[in-house]
Amino acid sequence: MHETESAGSLWRHRDFMLLWGGQSVSLIGAQVTVLALPLLATLTLHASTLQVALLTSFSTLPWLLFSLPAGVIVDRSRKREVMLWCDVARFAVLCTVPVAGALGALSLVQLYAVALVSGTLAVLFNSAYLSFPGILLTKAQLVDANGKVSTASAAAGVIGPSSAGFLVALVGAATAVTADAASYLVSAGGLLLVRFREPRPAPKPASDRGFRRELSAGLRIIVADRILTFVTISNSLGNFLLAAISSVWVLYAVRDLGWSAQTVGLVGGISAVGGVIGSLIAKPLIRRYGLVRVLLFSPVPFAPGQIVAGYVLPGVHGQITVTIGFTVTLASALTYNIAQRSYRMASCPPGMLGRLNATASWLQWGLRPLAGVAGGALGTALGLRPTVLLFAWLLPSVAVILWLSPLRKDRGTEGRESAPPAPAMSGATGGGRGSAVFGERELPAADTAAQAPRLDRSGGQPRPHRPGQGT
């Protein structure tokens, strides 16, 4: 772990500020594509409900197909180089959209290809991005870093959607994608200016080598910890339901509620303030009430805002109601993501962070492609409003799963101060650009589960897990 500037504020840590600043700009740019691609499919190419929903499936399919291999690749590579090449490649891929639009050659096939390729690069980038701060910073700096990254991600959700809506209205959806492409160049420029050069990963012992063995290492840690298993199941279900709603949301807002592109972007931007609030209050809440209580209660507000959105009528009152509901949803989602990522990272051996992050992404995001298909199919068969309501009313099950888990039995110690020592670098809460959930010495595969540090249920320092000890 890099020990330079081990003390003091990260505002004076040049390399982290370059990494954080470049990625913050990239996150804002991402919001343009999130809005522009479905609008292009809907308004320019006159795509059907299922065809638009499939865009979500193509953009998230790489999380299912490539998350696990990405974790192995990242653990074998220099993280900064991986991120740099991914940024350059995503710039090139997105530039094809405005070029095709200018030539009048834009098609749904191209949009699907852009969504698939850029999503694949995002998976690889995020696996490296989640692991790089653990090398660049000291353990004491990771809490501060997590707060800054979470706040930047949430702030991008505030600035991005409203800016994207006006930009799409001003220059058209195809041309607006250029802004996202340019943001990747900004991120790449920041990475080029980072002075720190990480060492090449050390070769693994012969007994631990092999792509398949390394591929399954993160999964073995999750399965070995019952609480981590329940948390992952809860996250996966929540991601599926929110992705299903998201896959038809733009269509629902435009066709059923009669909103313009500017209104869709403005509502999304204002409600994203909830993400900023959640990223700011998570650490104080964990310290005040304990990590366990925050994990149990923060998912409770997920559902009301989504349910309300399914009942509103066209008009200003509906727009205000949806904005308030989504603000509450995002505040609770960011709080929960920071808490569950903190638990996950404190439960992992240092040399396993890359693969654990990749495995968690695979399990939690791998269902999103199916969510897009399910949303599109049900939207076609039942209608857009019933589809939104169906998935929204299933959201309370996310909290129910946690309450049925062994996590609830450990509430006796949660009142103590509990700021986790090394939370994950969380990103955006839905949608997948870096985000939003969240050392290089390898352990022998046979001993991974037994040696994984276990988090004190108060949320405090990790305690060693002894073989045969109960979860």
Side-chain angles (χ1 to χ4, degrees), residues 309-336:
Y311 285 109
V312 298
L313 299 175
V316 175
H317 289 94
Q319 295 165 13
I320 295 174
T321 302
V322 171
T323 302
I324 295 172
F326 282 6
T327 300
V328 174
T329 297
L330 287 173
S332 62
L334 258 292
T335 301
Y336 172 74

Side-chain angles (χ1 to χ4, degrees), residues 442-456:
E442 178 62 82
L443 292 171
D447 298 328
T448 296
Q451 297 184 43
R454 299 298 309 282
L455 185 67
D456 185 333

Side-chain angles (χ1 to χ4, degrees), residues 185-247:
L185 289 186
V186 174
S187 177
L191 288 168
L192 282 173
L193 294 174
V194 170
R195 292 172 181 166
F196 172 65
R197 296 295 183 266
E198 62 191 288
R200 185 177 297 278
K204 294 177 173 58
S207 60
D208 296 335
R209 294 174 190 168
F211 198 83
R212 291 180 61 185
R213 178 181 291 272
E214 295 179 51
L215 204 66
S216 62
L219 185 60
R220 290 198 298 272
I221 284 190
I222 292 176
V223 172
D225 187 322
R226 289 186 63 212
I227 292 180
L228 204 55
T229 300
F230 274 87
V231 170
T232 303
I233 292 172
S234 177
N235 294 346
S236 300
L237 178 60
N239 270 296
F240 176 86
L241 296 174
L242 290 173
I245 295 172
S246 178
S247 69

Side-chain angles (χ1 to χ4, degrees), residues 1-8 10 13 132-146 283 345-351 353 419-425 439 453 460-462:
M1 182 177 294
H2 187 44
E3 297 293 338
T4 302
E5 301 180 76
S6 60
L10 286 179
H13 194 296
F132 189 58
I135 303 170
L136 178 67
L137 305 175
T138 65
K139 184 171 291 188
Q141 292 173 314
L142 287 176
V143 173
D144 188 16
N146 183 59
K283 186 176 177 181
M345 300 308 293
S347 301
C348 178
L353 292 179
M425 303 293 294
Q461 299 295 327

Side-chain angles (χ1 to χ4, degrees), residues 49-75:
T49 298
L50 180 59
Q51 288 173 327
V52 174
L54 283 175
L55 271 175
T56 301
S57 296
F58 275 100
S59 65
T60 55
L61 183 61
W63 295 95
L64 175 63
L65 299 180
F66 306 122
S67 286
L68 294 180
V72 177
I73 292 170
V74 165
D75 275 349

